[in-house]
Amino acid sequence: MKKILVSGGAGFLGSHLCEELIRTGNDVLCVDNFFTGSKRNIAHLMTNPYFEVMRHDVTFPLYVEVEQIYNLACPASPVHYQFDPVQTTKTSVHGAINMLGLAKRLQARILQASTSEVYGDPEVHPQPEEYWGRVNPVGIRSCYDEGKRCAETLFFDYWRQHALLIKVVRIFNTYGPRMHPNDGRVVSNFIVQAIRGEDITIYGEGQQTRSFCYVDDLINVMVRMMNSPDDFTGPVNIGNPCEYTMLELAEMVLKLTGSTSKLVFKPLPSDDPKQRQPNIALAKEKLGWEPKVNLEDGLTRTIEYFKKELSL
Ligand code: NAD
Ligand code: UDP
Ligand code: UDP
């Protein structure tokens, strides 16, 4: 049994990760300031003696004793990370410094939840890990993109300078149960709008693409990465390479919900990446992993979740 810290453990991905780590016999400390996460996401774990929650903001130092650290704390939806952009950068940068300082003192392994946003609006498609990206340093997405890029820099400098055991995963768009209904990301927006019979909001002309990974596949590879050989630091892309336009996604959600909602077109937010698809050759080679759940099956499970959630 390992003592494992999950920062951002009450969020969408964090709560699934805590659940998986407990299921496989670990002792989990969930640290969260509940900015976008909620107690509801982890309520079912509260009675487990090997699960503990601490309300804490990772921009402040943290002194606890653990053997592994998964650093997920950071709002992930553009709506939420742009709400208080200064705090977003602080969370990524000061949060990384504090988690790395903690890992250094404890000689603990530490995994960073980085993002496909480090590639910005990419000219290389699909994106391999070697691509350095095309990120606007002064736009509305920069607090998130540059914060995450700086966090990666810190991880690699602690590795070079202090021989820390680091693991960096670049997560591509992931969806599933426990996304917040008001999260603002495209999958939850479309599903909630379709179930409620509200207009489906397409930003721009809906020709921009994303590649969507179901949460179970993603948690599986995150844990594999944490437990991979010491010399494999990443960065490694993790996500599902099946790419769709936002119009195609909307059509699929309408079909699967049987909704009669209409599509409406809204302005495209600035710096919105036009295309995104992970090259996952490295994850396949080093971690023996590839996603198993296709978009239709994953959406069906997610729609079931939201139908229950919205009827409460
Ligand atoms: P989420 O918003 O549901 O979860 C983030 C969690 O971090 C929340 O519980 C929030 O309350 C917590 N948090 C935020 N700021 C904090 C702070 N200063 N101190 C402590 N806790 C804080 O988002 P998610 O989708 O679960 O994303 C989790 C991580 O994965 C994030 O780091 C995100 O950048 C990364 N990621 C997610 C995706 C995706 O598609 N879901 C894609 C790329 C990267
Ligand atoms: N830190 C922490 N918990 C620990 C050890 C360190 O939160 O158990 C924080 C502390 O705020 C420190 C930061 O991590 O400033 C970076 O630690 P490091 O040892 O790398 O640097 P230093 O202590 O010299 O600033
Ligand atoms: N999007 C949309 N309608 C919405 C929400 C998002 O068309 O209601 C688009 C958004 O402009 C982007 C894509 O869907 O092109 C994915 O957006 P999301 O916020 O989920 O994540 P991103 O990958 O942009 O961080």
Side-chain angles (χ1 to χ4, degrees):
M1 175 178 279
K2 286 201 179 67
K3 178 98 185 156
I4 304 179
L5 186 162
V6 179
S7 81
F12 160 51
L13 294 180
S15 61
H16 285 277
L17 178 61
C18 289
E19 195 174 277
E20 177 62 11
L21 293 173
I22 285 182
R23 191 187 68 78
T24 48
N26 299 288
D27 187 351
V28 174
L29 171 61
C30 163
V31 166
D32 205 293
N33 71 349
F34 299 110
F35 173 51
T36 49
S38 78
K39 286 188 185 161
R40 207 173 142 71
N41 286 341
I42 47 171
H44 61 298
L45 301 174
M46 296 287 206
T47 52
N48 189 305
Y50 298 108
F51 182 71
E52 195 181 344
V53 193
M54 184 190 269
R55 181 188 287 268
H56 173 80
D57 181 328
V58 294
T59 61
F60 296 97
L62 177 67
Y63 289 83
V64 291
E65 312 303 314
V66 294
E67 291 153 79
Q68 291 187 343
I69 301 169
Y70 287 85
N71 187 34
L72 273 66
C74 186
S77 155
V79 177
H80 294 293
Y81 72 63
Q82 288 166 20
F83 172 76
D84 185 349
V86 173
Q87 172 67 12
T88 299
T89 303
K90 284 185 186 170
T91 293
S92 276
V93 177
H94 294 183
I97 291 173
N98 289 326
M99 291 298 113
L100 287 161
L102 175 66
K104 186 180 127 200
R105 177 175 64 79
L106 300 171
Q107 290 298 302
R109 260 174 198 238
I110 180 166
L111 178 144
Q112 168 67 359
S114 190
T115 167
S116 52
E117 284 289 316
V118 300
Y119 302 121
D121 190 4
E123 301 126 312
V124 175
H125 193 72
Q127 295 77 55
E129 289 83 356
E130 300 77 45
Y131 179 48
W132 290 353
R134 184 162 75 116
V135 174
N136 175 358
V138 295
I140 55 171
R141 294 177 86 100
S142 312
C143 58
Y144 183 77
D145 299 12
E146 297 289 20
K148 289 284 190 179
R149 285 169 69 98
C150 184
E152 286 200 11
T153 307
L154 285 161
F155 268 68
F156 279 86
D157 283 332
Y158 269 77
W159 172 67
R160 278 184 286 260
Q161 205 173 323
H162 300 301
L164 215 64
L165 266 175
I166 63 153
K167 303 279 171 186
V168 175
V169 291
R170 291 183 177 155
I171 304 171
F172 283 65
N173 296 65
T174 302
Y175 68 98
R178 297 204 201 115
M179 292 185 95
H180 196 280
N182 298 326
D183 180 85
R185 282 178 276 187
V186 69
V187 174
S188 44
N189 269 11
F190 285 3
I191 292 178
V192 170
Q193 289 161 346
I195 292 173
R196 289 183 172 150
E198 294 166 358
D199 292 343
I200 307 275
T201 53
I202 310 266
Y203 300 162
E205 291 170 11
Q207 291 306 322
Q208 69 274 38
T209 68
R210 295 292 186 273
S211 306
F212 296 101
C213 186
Y214 188 65
V215 60
D216 290 0
D217 280 331
L218 194 94
I219 298 303
N220 179 304
V221 69
M222 259 181 140
V223 175
R224 278 178 194 235
M225 180 58 179
M226 175 62 104
N227 298 302
S228 65
D230 292 0
D231 62 354
F232 185 51
T233 56
V236 59
N237 289 337
I238 57 174
N240 191 321
C242 292
E243 185 181 2
Y244 296 84
T245 66
M246 294 311 100
L247 269 181
E248 287 168 338
L249 176 71
E251 300 292 353
M252 195 181 288
V253 169
L254 285 177
K255 186 186 93 183
L256 295 173
T257 50
S259 168
T260 53
S261 288
K262 284 192 278 303
L263 306 184
V264 295
F265 293 85
K266 302 266 182 184
L268 188 68
S270 63
D271 296 337
D272 198 284
K274 284 181 273 310
Q275 52 180 1
R276 184 183 287 158
Q277 188 200 117
N279 175 327
I280 58 165
L282 187 65
K284 276 187 189 162
E285 180 203 327
K286 296 282 189 182
L287 306 171
W289 172 87
E290 60 184 321
K292 293 199 168 62
V293 183
N294 68 32
L295 186 61
E296 193 157 323
D297 291 344
L299 284 178
T300 304
R301 296 186 208 177
T302 311
I303 289 165
E304 282 313 303
Y305 167 81
F306 275 110
K307 278 189 176 159
K308 281 201 201 104
E309 208 43 28
L310 298 176
S311 66
L312 290 178

